[in-house]
Amino acid sequence: MNDTESLYRLIWMSRPLMQSAEAAVEKGLEGTGLTVRTRAVLEVLLTLQAATVPDIAQKLEIKRQYVQLMVNETLAEGLTTKQENPRHKRSTLIALTPKGQALIDEVVQREMDLVRSLSKGLDPSEIETAVKVVQRVMEDIKSETGRA
C-alpha cells in the first residue's frame, strides 16, 4: 500500500472510529441523565468556563441553532446557567452550575479511565505521531474545503 492509499484508509477509518467512540461515550453516560450532545456542551464549558452559544458552536464546529437547542436542554436540567456578558448585552454567557460541574467531572474521569485502559500496550510516541497526522489532515481538508 502506498502513502496515498494509506492516508485514504486513515481518513475513512475516522467514521467507524467516531461511531465506536460515540457508542462508548453513550455507554459511559448511562445513569447520568446526559446525552452525547448535552455532554458535549458541558465539556466545552469545562474548558472555557463560560461561553456564548456562538462560541460553543464554533468550538463544536456545528450550527449555532443546533447548539442553542443543546444549551436549552442543559439549562432545563439545571446543569448550566445564564450570566451577563460584559462584551455584549443580548448574548448571554453560559456557565456550568455546581451540579453540571460535578457531573461533567465524573463523566470525564470515567472516560479517562477507559482511555487509560485503551492506551495500554500502545507506544506513546506512536500515539503522538497519530495525533499530529490527524491534526494536519483535518487542517488541510478544512483549508481545501474552505472551512478553515
Side-chain angles (χ1 to χ4, degrees):
M1 190 176 312
N2 66 37
D3 291 349
T4 301
E5 291 168 337
S6 293
L7 183 57
Y8 185 82
R9 186 169 172 234
L10 172 70
I11 291 167
W12 285 104
M13 286 176 68
S14 67
R15 183 177 183 88
L17 173 63
M18 284 309 304
Q19 289 172 329
S20 296
E22 187 170 329
V25 168
E26 283 178 342
K27 184 176 181 190
L29 294 176
E30 289 175 1
T32 67
L34 292 176
T35 63
V36 172
R37 61 193 223 169
T38 55
R39 180 227 168 272
V41 169
L42 298 186
E43 183 181 33
V44 169
L45 295 173
L46 181 64
T47 303
L48 298 179
Q49 301 299 308
T52 63
V53 169
D55 291 338
I56 298 168
Q58 182 178 13
K59 188 82 169 160
L60 294 174
E61 297 186 27
I62 57 179
K63 294 185 184 289
R64 186 202 64 76
Q65 295 85 345
Y66 188 59
V67 171
Q68 184 65 63
L69 296 173
M70 296 160 60
V71 166
N72 289 348
E73 290 177 34
T74 66
L75 289 164
E77 294 295 320
L79 303 172
T80 59
T81 186
K82 290 182 180 182
Q83 298 177 346
E84 281 189 36
N85 183 349
R87 296 178 305 165
H88 196 285
K89 289 186 182 206
R90 287 186 296 161
S91 184
T92 59
L93 292 173
I94 307 300
L96 293 170
T97 61
K99 176 182 174 183
Q101 178 77 48
L103 190 53
I104 193 62
D105 285 344
E106 176 187 333
V107 166
V108 168
Q109 185 57 53
R110 283 190 212 169
E111 291 171 355
M112 291 306 291
D113 290 344
L114 173 61
V115 172
R116 198 172 295 106
S117 170
L118 295 172
S119 71
K120 289 182 180 159
L122 296 176
D123 182 326
S125 66
E126 289 179 340
I127 295 171
E128 186 58 34
T129 298
V131 168
K132 288 177 183 175
V133 169
V134 170
Q135 285 174 331
R136 171 71 186 274
V137 170
M138 280 187 338
E139 290 167 6
D140 289 352
I141 287 174
K142 287 177 182 180
S143 178
E144 288 288 325
T145 60
R147 287 193 57 223

